[in-house]
Amino acid sequence: RCETCSKEEAKYRCPRCMKYSCSLLCVKKHKLALSCNGVRDKTAFVSVNEFTDLNLLSDYRFLEDVGRTADAAARHPIVHSPPTKKLLYCLRNKARRCNIDLRTLPVGFTKRRENSTTFNYMEKKFYWHLKLIFPHCHAEYTLKGVPDDKTLADILKPYIDPVESDPVVCQRLKIYTVSPQSDVQILMKIENRKRNSVRYNELDASRSLLDNLKGKVIIEYPTLFVVLKTLKNDMVILGQDASEPADNSDSESSSHSSVEEGEIRDSS
């Protein structure tokens, strides 16, 4: 019997609350009375004894729906909203005024998601997202909010200074801490070069981060390689390769003929 009117034989059953109804009128009445939307609860508990192949198929389709919804949310226009694009444009523009060719990648790239670089308009300086790589120890550290007026030597102190470094980090980077400071080199890979022609710029540890980044191409944020002169092996520094003059660094920094994959050009 219909559980709404109790007169007619039931023909329908609500997927949500499992109430029996005989007609469309009774269906509407039961929805109004119980505030039922008539949509099956895909997350409702089902005991193991009652679990069937249909429940398994339902769960599988539910997970597929969740995946599609998450993907649609990531592609939503709000992710690419004008305020975000305007912020990136201002960041690149400020970098350009400091003679830094800062380039950003599209949404979805790992470096784009990681980057936390900001510009403080009150202090008129960058706070960089910075990655330090110590290849001889297979160690990598990420720093956030590094002021651009901080020297590279001060940035490295918590890592390779025998006195000021963290004991755990010091132990991991022992090969650096026991080596003389004169043997430590800070390198940054030059962008927009062929894969079989990788070259590095040597940075000056006594100068600020901003001074070291001037005249160079940065994709999202700087990545610094801290190496030892005696162990750097095939890491060729531009200008120290006999087959290539040092002034190529300027042409590499100013060249816009080859576009890095995913690079966004300014629309204006």
Side-chain angles (χ1 to χ4, degrees), residues 53-260:
D53 291 342
L54 288 177
N55 297 118
L56 179 62
L57 182 61
S58 175
D59 290 348
Y60 178 76
R61 288 176 175 172
F62 174 71
L63 293 176
E64 282 188 324
D65 290 341
V66 171
R68 282 192 292 268
T69 303
D71 184 63
R75 297 172 184 269
H76 197 275
I78 196 171
V79 178
H80 311 277
S81 60
T84 303
K85 291 183 178 180
K86 185 177 180 181
L87 183 62
L88 290 177
Y89 174 78
C90 293
L91 201 63
R92 293 194 298 264
N93 191 40
K94 290 294 182 182
R96 190 180 299 112
R97 292 183 181 181
C98 296
N99 193 26
I100 300 174
D101 188 358
L102 178 62
R103 305 180 184 182
T104 54
L105 300 172
V107 175
F109 279 67
T110 302
K111 292 190 73 172
R112 174 90 289 273
R113 294 196 305 267
E114 292 176 343
N115 194 4
S116 61
T117 301
T118 58
F119 183 82
N120 190 308
Y121 287 88
M122 296 293 292
E123 301 177 8
K124 295 183 178 180
K125 66 181 180 181
F126 281 92
Y127 283 87
W128 288 96
H129 183 105
L130 190 64
K131 184 172 287 187
L132 299 177
I133 297 178
F134 299 84
H136 308 313
C137 297
H138 304 287
E140 183 178 302
Y141 298 94
T142 299
L143 288 72
K144 296 183 179 181
V146 181
D148 61 12
D149 56 355
K150 194 171 185 179
T151 64
L152 298 186
D154 289 337
I155 294 174
L156 291 180
K157 273 185 180 180
Y159 299 92
I160 61 174
D161 188 277
V163 178
E164 298 187 25
S165 62
D166 181 88
V168 177
V169 176
C170 181
Q171 183 63 29
R172 186 180 183 185
L173 304 178
K174 189 174 181 179
I175 191 174
Y176 291 91
T177 56
V178 298
S179 300
Q181 294 299 310
S182 58
D183 194 30
V184 177
Q185 275 185 314
I186 306 173
L187 308 180
M188 187 170 71
K189 189 172 75 172
I190 300 172
E191 304 292 349
N192 293 343
R193 292 185 67 94
K194 296 179 181 179
R195 291 189 178 182
N196 60 352
S197 179
V198 178
R199 296 291 182 271
Y200 297 84
N201 277 320
E202 183 177 4
L203 307 184
D204 188 347
S206 63
R207 300 178 66 184
S208 68
L209 178 60
L210 180 64
D211 290 338
N212 278 289
L213 296 181
K214 286 182 178 179
K216 297 177 178 62
V217 178
I218 307 295
I219 297 181
E220 288 294 345
Y221 55 80
T223 299
L224 307 184
F225 294 84
V226 185
V227 301
L228 299 175
K229 294 179 182 178
T230 54
L231 300 175
K232 64 184 181 65
N233 299 329
D234 58 345
M235 300 180 73
V236 181
I237 300 174
L238 195 70
Q240 295 185 8
D241 182 8
S243 63
E244 192 168 12
D247 58 2
N248 277 6
S249 60
D250 295 332
S251 62
E252 288 292 340
S253 299
S254 59
S255 174
H256 295 281
S257 57
S258 60
V259 181
E260 190 78 13

